[in-house]
Amino acid sequence: MHALEVAVTDTVSELTQRKQLDELYADFEDAGLIPLWNQRDDLMPTSPQPAAVPHLWPWARLLPIAERSGQLVPVGRGGERRAMALSNPGLPGLPYATPTLWAAIQYLGPREVAPSHRHSQGAFRFVVDGEGVWTNVDGDAVAMRRGDLLLTPSWAFHEHQNVTDRPMAWIDGLDIPLVSQLDAGFFEFGPEELSTRATPERSRGERLWAHPGLRPISQPDRPNSPLAAYRWEHTDAALTAQLELESEGAVGVIEPGHAGVRFSNPTTGRDALVTIRTEMRRLRAGTRTTAVRTVGSAVWQVFHGEATAHVGDRIFEVAKGDLFAVPSWCEVALTAHTQVDLFRFSDEPVYEALGLARTYRGEQK
């Protein structure tokens, strides 16, 4: 066979094969199939490739917007809450801080009431400043004050009332994006009237459960913590003690100059909420933390002090109230300019339950 004939035969063969391949891919589409060999890099990357990006929300910008919303937007049935969700630029159009975590500023004006409802999503509130609001969780009135962590477990009726002539703002954290991805969300309106107008110094839950190391014998284990309030006085004392012990040469800190506590469920010792980890960190002035990468995302809020946060390729100068997002497997390190306290919440319990947790300490190579 002449060379020209061979070339023509090869070309015809290639055209036939291409036609057959195009027909195969068309049949894939008609049958609802996608070939793995065209998707592997997207389906199974060599390391996590989060859509969310490191981002900073300065409190000095957020609070005035919340105050304006308080003047213009009522709280009532339907909208339910005057809450302004943090939206990560890597997740455009979505009210999500990360793909699994929802965070928002909630603002309640003088004498206002936020009506009762419940939902599948687990929730907490963390108070940067102020007092005068009580959150009623399944009819138990819980005072909200500076530095307190307040829990609203999944499917618990909850409502808020401000009994003062001053407004109050705090942050809400929920697992809304996670529950949405799992198609597991339920929501139900509660009664129109408040379940209680009581304003006790200590809630029933605290009176029963807030005794260190002492568990009521009558109570069974629960998946979420039955303690609705973790008070700042106890958190502050625990962090202070860790740094004091370090100064005395004893163990207790995470690393030099870096103290931390995790809010836990007194019935199991696990995380206070099933799907959300909540922690408080304290850094001595001048401390730089070890860079850490963790599978799973987190949101941090500065409670007190000033620091520099190195998050991936971004550098944030942060102060009281500022919030920043740390996407999955994104390196984070902190440098404290003053003594600094930071609240952190993450989705790590979910990854641990699924056997997908992984942490790396040290600068990225």
Side-chain angles (χ1 to χ4, degrees):
M1 183 178 293
H2 294 294
L4 179 60
E5 293 174 313
V6 171
V8 170
T9 301
D10 289 346
T11 300
V12 171
S13 177
E14 289 173 5
L15 290 173
T16 299
Q17 186 178 24
R18 169 52 59 189
K19 182 173 182 289
Q20 292 173 340
L21 198 56
D22 288 344
E23 290 173 350
L24 175 63
Y25 285 140
D27 288 344
F28 277 0
E29 186 173 353
D30 288 343
L33 299 172
I34 295 177
L36 173 63
W37 53 86
N38 287 341
Q39 302 289 319
R40 205 285 301 166
D41 288 344
D42 292 332
L43 288 174
M44 293 180 285
T46 55
S47 63
Q49 304 294 314
V53 298
H55 190 69
L56 172 68
W57 292 270
W59 189 249
R61 187 175 184 188
L62 298 179
L63 188 57
I65 293 174
E67 290 170 343
R68 286 164 56 199
S69 299
Q71 296 167 5
L72 299 171
V73 180
V75 175
R77 193 94 281 178
E80 297 294 291
R81 304 290 186 260
R82 191 186 291 109
M84 293 135 277
L86 308 186
S87 179
N88 191 294
L91 308 170
L94 294 173
Y96 300 160
T98 79
T100 55
L101 299 173
W102 193 88
I105 310 305
Q106 186 170 165
Y107 188 89
L108 200 63
R111 307 294 170 178
E112 280 191 323
V113 170
S116 174
H117 65 214
R118 65 178 177 177
H119 39 68
S120 305
Q121 296 83 355
F124 70 81
R125 323 198 185 280
F126 181 71
V127 184
V128 175
D129 229 340
E131 60 181 37
V133 170
W134 267 256
T135 181
N136 303 330
V137 181
D138 280 340
D140 190 11
V142 186
M144 298 175 62
R145 307 185 189 95
R146 178 182 178 273
D148 292 347
L149 173 69
L150 301 312
L151 302 186
T152 306
S154 171
W155 212 236
F157 276 115
H158 54 285
E159 59 204 3
H160 314 305
Q161 65 162 332
N162 187 343
V163 302
T164 74
D165 295 322
R166 300 176 304 277
M168 184 171 166
W170 61 87
I171 68 163
D172 289 342
L174 294 91
D175 54 8
I176 290 175
L178 174 67
V179 173
S180 177
Q181 286 294 317
L182 296 174
D183 289 327
F186 293 88
F187 180 93
E188 182 179 321
F189 292 117
E192 296 291 333
E193 296 296 321
L194 284 174
S195 59
T196 177
R197 293 274 180 179
T199 57
E201 180 70 15
R202 300 177 74 223
S203 64
R204 294 195 303 268
E206 290 173 87
R207 292 164 62 192
L208 187 61
W209 288 101
H211 305 285
L214 302 175
R215 172 178 173 164
I217 295 173
S218 63
Q219 300 300 304
D221 285 0
R222 302 185 194 180
N224 293 295
S225 174
L227 182 59
Y230 293 75
R231 299 299 180 190
W232 170 244
E233 61 189 277
H234 303 134
T235 306
D236 180 39
L239 295 170
T240 297
Q242 287 186 20
L243 293 178
E244 287 175 346
L245 286 166
E246 181 193 25
S247 297
E248 297 165 13
V251 297
V253 294
I254 298 170
E255 58 185 334
H258 181 187
V261 293
R262 181 171 299 162
F263 299 98
S264 63
N265 179 342
T267 74
T268 64
R270 301 190 182 97
D271 287 281
L273 293 171
V274 173
T275 57
I276 301 175
R277 175 156 295 162
T278 48
E279 299 176 331
M280 200 80 186
R281 308 290 183 90
R282 175 171 291 171
L283 308 181
R284 293 185 193 274
T287 297
R288 177 181 169 87
T289 67
T290 301
V292 175
R293 281 181 287 158
T294 303
V295 170
S297 55
V299 176
W300 296 67
Q301 184 173 38
V302 180
F303 178 63
H304 170 78
E306 298 177 355
T308 299
H310 300 260
V311 187
D313 60 358
R314 302 291 305 278
I315 298 177
F316 303 133
E317 298 299 328
V318 296
K320 180 180 176 180
D322 292 352
L323 297 113
F324 58 93
V326 180
S328 181
W329 209 237
C330 184
E331 188 173 277
V332 58
L334 302 166
T335 301
H337 305 313
T338 65
Q339 178 174 293
V340 61
D341 294 333
L342 303 106
F343 174 72
R344 175 184 183 270
F345 69 99
S346 74
D347 50 21
E348 290 169 80
V350 177
Y351 291 86
E352 291 174 357
L354 295 173
L356 296 173
R358 181 179 297 195
T359 297
Y360 179 82
R361 299 182 182 277
E363 299 291 339
Q364 187 169 357
K365 298 177 181 179

